[in-house]
Amino acid sequence: QPLILGPSGVPIPREAYVNTVMNWYVVPNSPEGANPPQVVFTPEGLYPITGVKSLPLNTSVGEGLPILSDTLALLPSATPTTVFGYSQSAIIGSLLQAGYMPPNSPYPAPTIPASLKDVINFVFVGNEMNPNGGFLSRFPDLYLPSLGLPFYGATPENSYPTTNYTREYLSLIHISEPTRPY
């Protein structure tokens, strides 16, 4: 079961994004093939980049973690699952792998259900927690409170099958979301 999460600023990915992600990243990295994808809403705020009224990264990630964890808990036991995350949602997937609990979180600790541990894999694009050079892996435990920007450290190595797509200095993929007039 592919679970597709959007990047910062895109809490609910559109069909064109999902189709591109499925063709380029999920299908080639899904050991059991790919069922129809399920889009998972996560806040995807990145103040001030996504707007002055948006959530800071730490709050947005802190709310996205239990959403992903709860979504996984609803899957039938032993369902082969691929979690796709791009940018901020790659952070959410990485922290879920690590069992990270945000400080002062009102939510239960996010977990991957035991029934999925042997059949889940992760595919990340633009992962800021990439163990080999991700921006947020560079200075673990540094925190910039005015921006709500914690440096979480690196995606855990060898905890779950994980594919990280990165490209130095340039964006690997740009999936544009049409702007909506408000």
Side-chain angles (χ1 to χ4, degrees):
Q1 174 68 50
L3 300 179
I4 310 296
L5 290 77
S8 296
V10 184
I12 303 173
R14 295 178 188 244
E15 185 177 353
Y17 172 94
V18 172
N19 290 338
T20 300
V21 162
M22 288 295 294
N23 292 331
W24 287 13
Y25 303 108
V26 175
V27 171
N29 291 290
S30 295
E32 303 294 325
N35 294 325
Q38 177 181 342
V39 172
V40 179
F41 164 85
T42 50
E44 302 301 332
L46 184 58
Y47 170 84
I49 295 168
T50 56
V52 295
K53 293 185 178 183
S54 65
L55 297 172
L57 180 71
N58 63 332
T59 304
S60 183
V61 166
E63 290 182 10
L65 267 167
I67 292 170
L68 179 56
S69 178
D70 291 349
T71 302
L72 289 171
L74 295 173
L75 294 177
S77 182
T79 301
T81 303
T82 299
V83 175
F84 175 84
Y86 178 18
S87 187
Q88 184 177 149
S89 54
I91 295 170
I92 293 169
S94 295
L95 293 175
L96 180 67
Q97 287 183 30
Y100 176 80
M101 184 66 176
N104 304 316
S105 176
Y107 307 108
T111 60
I112 295 173
S115 67
L116 298 180
K117 288 192 187 274
D118 294 330
V119 293
I120 192 168
N121 72 307
F122 293 82
V123 178
F124 299 141
V125 172
N127 181 6
E128 292 90 345
M129 290 178 61
N130 185 2
N132 188 17
F135 179 67
L136 298 180
S137 70
R138 292 289 184 181
F139 308 101
D141 301 324
L142 177 66
Y143 178 56
L144 304 175
S146 61
L147 296 175
L149 183 62
F151 286 70
Y152 296 107
T155 301
E157 293 185 45
N158 304 319
S159 56
Y160 295 95
T162 302
T163 304
N164 272 302
Y165 285 91
T166 59
R167 186 166 178 191
E168 191 173 27
Y169 306 116
L170 299 172
S171 173
L172 176 64
I173 179 173
H174 176 73
I175 303 171
S176 67
E177 287 285 322
T179 55
R180 295 184 216 158
Y182 291 99

